[in-house]
Amino acid sequence: MLIFVADADVSWEFSDLIEAIYSAPTYHLVFEGCLILFIVGLLFQHSFLPSKRRGGSGDRLSKAEEDQLIAEWQPEPLVSGDPADEALLASYQRCATSQVGRSVTYSDGRTLVNFATGNFLDFIGEARIRDRALASLRHYGVGSCGPRGFYGTMDVHLHLEEQLAKFYGCEEAVLYSYGFSTIASAIPSYAKRHDIIFADERCCFAIQQGLEASRSKIIRFRHNDTAHLEELLQRQAEHDRRNPKKARVTRKFIVVEGLYVNCGDICPLGELVKLKYKYKVRLFVEESASLGTLGATGRGICEEAGVSVQDVDLIAAGIENALATQGGFVVGTKYVVDHQRLSGLGYCFSASLPPMLAAAASEALTMVDEMRGERTARLKSVSDRLHQRLLAELDNLWSVEGAPMSPIKHLRLHRCTGENSLPALEAACAAAADAGLLLTVARYVAQDLGQPAQPSIRLSVNCNHSDSEIGSLLDFLKSYATGLAKK
Amino acid sequence: TAHSDPNPNHVYFNSRGIWATYVIFIFITHFIVLSIPFISMALAWTLTCQIHNVITYFWLHWEKGAPFEPLDQGESRTLTHWEQLDDGVQFTANKKFLLVVPIVIFLLTTFYTRYDQIHFLVNALSLVLLAIVPKLPQLYRVRIFGINKW
């Protein structure tokens, strides 16, 4: 019987409603009885966490199993007595008593020509930067004592951000206090779980940490191989066609470096931008090594490749190489970059860059701007000259990895000379110190996926390296390798 | 209050007065429905029950993610509100409360509709399908036929 409109002959008195219970159909009362039992049963249920919540196997150990595992556990020594670490430990004993500029003086009195650190534009020891930093130190003190959101923002930070944005021709810049955490914070603030990132397989460790923190699906493509990247993007596009709903909520990114620190190569940015527009993926470029070293005026890989900065979604760089201070920045459109002021964990939850370093960076950037690429051009020509001489004179002794104009080169012992092992290269570096040269083996964290199969000596060229310094480097390399080959 | 949970959706239902607020919302809905002059008492109660079940279904079991940007690295993007409450723990006090309220509304509705057959059918279906079954721990993170997965 349908009761919809207010009916005069149906009574809604409470006593009549109670009486209606007695004339209720049985199935109804049974259903209600089940519901009441369900409620009572619910009251006695304990709360629990479903085991497959985090996607793991989730089988909890019983008390007995736990006790057994604890009883069986043997602690490993805190410090391994591995003799292979000795050379590395010995290098920590070396103590520099001067600035680590184009040449370094050590506590044993030796002065070595520095081919090891990333002082590409020779700004270490530059009087103008030092004076600006000291003036800033007297004005602000040393540290900023707070993150950007908690009284750690000073006018030097805002000024440097504006200056960086103008330098690149972008809308906005965000300043980080540590170069490593710049890209490691930038990637996870945009890429989340269920997103896809296509990363070059020789990316630096900072990028890898960012990729891991993002919890996204990482697809690595062969180093600088745009054909392989296109194949992977094509495969992903087919997946997306089969599952359009999932594709609509999946963000896709490509992460590359402008100048690869682990290889000395330059990325093919023009082709990457074409792929970006063809497959609708976002492009992130990490420019720590290419700031100041590539481009006609030192504006990085975009200028070098002739690509508009608007075509790259995000440029992240550490200023710890060419600009010779500390920190990093991310630059791009306001819409993209502003997001990091709340989501960039390295920005929100770390103390801001000490004001004296921000002032020094600002001065260094002004110098780069004023020089209009003079030192960059000099750096490229020195690197190129070194590269040509390495190829010409050390042909069967050392093999060189890296682009000719790149200030970062990786040297490996040629197989004709001997076995290219880490101890052999470390011995070469020690011998180089005796010859007045500071060389370093490229060192990697054990979990670094970008490390090469073969160890190498990483050369970092300074724009002011003179011909005689280059000459002495080549002479040493030649004589050392020839000596090895004779054995 | 400051806490270390990256997603406020996990904990806000423990706030003081939330349960009372929820019940007050139901009362307000019921009073509005009751104020409509031409419908009978039975229809008013059935309407309240249906409106409650439908709205809570969309609120708890259909919409995924959060209206703000949580710091959980995208974990809650594919989770409905029910799955986010209490960070996925089943049979907490909040969840038991949210399971019991639709049942109590149903019991009241059947009483006030004088155990009418059609009203019973409509209310029982919406109770079971929209209010009880999605809240069971067996259906935690389950998407039937892939509906609403992404």
Side-chain angles (χ1 to χ4, degrees), chain A residues 20 31 36 49 52 54 64 113 124 184 196 211 221 254 309 317 332 349 372 378 434:
Chain A
F31 186 74
I36 293 174
L49 191 61
K52 48 184 175 60
R54 294 267 180 247
V113 178
I124 303 253
I196 301 174
L211 296 176
F221 63 93
I254 299 176
V309 148
F349 297 108
R372 286 185 218 287
R378 212 186 317 154
D434 292 329

Side-chain angles (χ1 to χ4, degrees), chain A residues 46-324:
Chain A
H46 296 290
S47 65
F48 66 93
L49 191 61
S51 55
K52 48 184 175 60
R53 181 165 77 108
R54 294 267 180 247
S57 63
D59 269 302
R60 307 192 88 118
L61 296 171
S62 67
K63 189 85 178 50
E65 283 171 325
E66 279 183 19
D67 289 336
Q68 193 196 2
L69 280 174
I70 292 171
E72 282 174 1
W73 176 72
Q74 293 296 328
E76 287 174 24
L78 209 55
V79 177
S80 73
D82 190 353
D85 290 358
E86 304 259 325
L88 179 57
L89 282 174
S91 71
Y92 283 115
Q93 305 299 320
R94 208 163 43 184
C95 180
T97 55
S98 75
Q99 275 187 325
V100 185
R102 207 172 79 246
S103 61
V104 197
T105 311
Y106 283 98
S107 49
D108 54 8
R110 290 191 297 191
T111 301
L112 307 177
V113 178
N114 185 358
F115 279 99
T117 63
N119 184 19
F120 303 126
L121 299 180
D122 202 19
F123 277 159
I124 303 253
E126 188 74 34
R128 197 171 138 181
I129 298 177
R130 185 190 61 219
D131 293 339
R132 175 82 194 274
L134 286 173
S136 189
L137 170 66
R138 290 201 174 87
H139 185 85
Y140 294 102
V142 179
S144 61
C145 302
R148 287 294 294 266
F150 266 108
Y151 309 109
T153 300
M154 282 144 206
D155 52 356
V156 276
H157 298 124
L158 300 176
H159 176 70
L160 179 56
E161 284 180 355
E162 267 174 45
Q163 203 183 347
L164 282 164
K166 216 164 94 182
F167 180 76
Y168 272 93
C170 287
E171 287 173 20
E172 189 143 336
V174 165
L175 195 60
Y176 283 81
S177 47
Y178 185 34
F180 186 100
S181 58
T182 305
I183 189 65
S185 305
I187 294 174
S189 63
Y190 301 99
K192 312 275 179 186
R193 243 173 260 263
H194 313 301
D195 291 337
I196 301 174
I197 306 182
F198 298 91
D200 192 291
E201 68 179 3
R202 299 293 298 279
C203 275
C204 65
F205 191 55
I207 294 180
Q208 289 168 43
Q209 292 293 87
L211 296 176
E212 206 180 306
S214 69
R215 318 306 302 144
S216 310
K217 179 173 175 196
I218 312 297
I219 302 176
R220 306 171 75 85
F221 63 93
R222 282 188 291 269
H223 178 57
N224 274 356
D225 193 346
T226 43
H228 187 216
L229 175 58
E230 177 148 23
E231 185 193 318
L232 292 168
L233 285 167
Q234 186 65 38
R235 212 181 293 168
Q236 184 57 40
E238 277 161 27
H239 268 134
D240 290 348
R241 259 193 294 276
R242 269 179 266 145
N243 197 341
K245 281 215 182 98
K246 179 177 177 183
R248 216 177 313 140
V249 292
T250 307
R251 305 175 195 118
K252 295 184 274 289
F253 304 89
I254 299 176
V255 176
V256 287
E257 280 179 64
L259 178 62
Y260 288 91
V261 177
N262 292 345
C263 321
D265 294 329
I266 297 174
C267 85
L269 194 62
E271 294 165 42
L272 290 172
V273 168
K274 284 202 201 101
L275 284 178
K276 167 197 151 152
Y277 284 116
K278 184 172 172 191
Y279 291 96
K280 310 279 187 291
V281 289
R282 300 290 181 194
L283 183 56
F284 287 1
V285 179
E286 210 276 340
E287 287 222 63
S288 294
S290 48
L291 167 61
T293 62
L294 293 182
T297 57
R299 278 168 169 76
I301 183 72
C302 289
E303 200 179 24
E304 183 73 31
V307 164
S308 155
V309 148
Q310 328 295 343
D311 285 334
V312 175
D313 291 288
L314 189 143
I315 295 176
I319 54 180
E320 294 160 357
N321 292 321
L323 294 190

Side-chain angles (χ1 to χ4, degrees), chain A residues 1 11 32 48 54 193, chain B residues 75 77 90 110 114 116:
Chain A
M1 192 193 103
S11 155
E32 293 199 2
F48 66 93
R54 294 267 180 247
R193 243 173 260 263
Chain B
E75 198 185 333
R77 259 206 294 170
Q90 302 299 313
T110 53
R114 299 182 65 121
D116 177 73

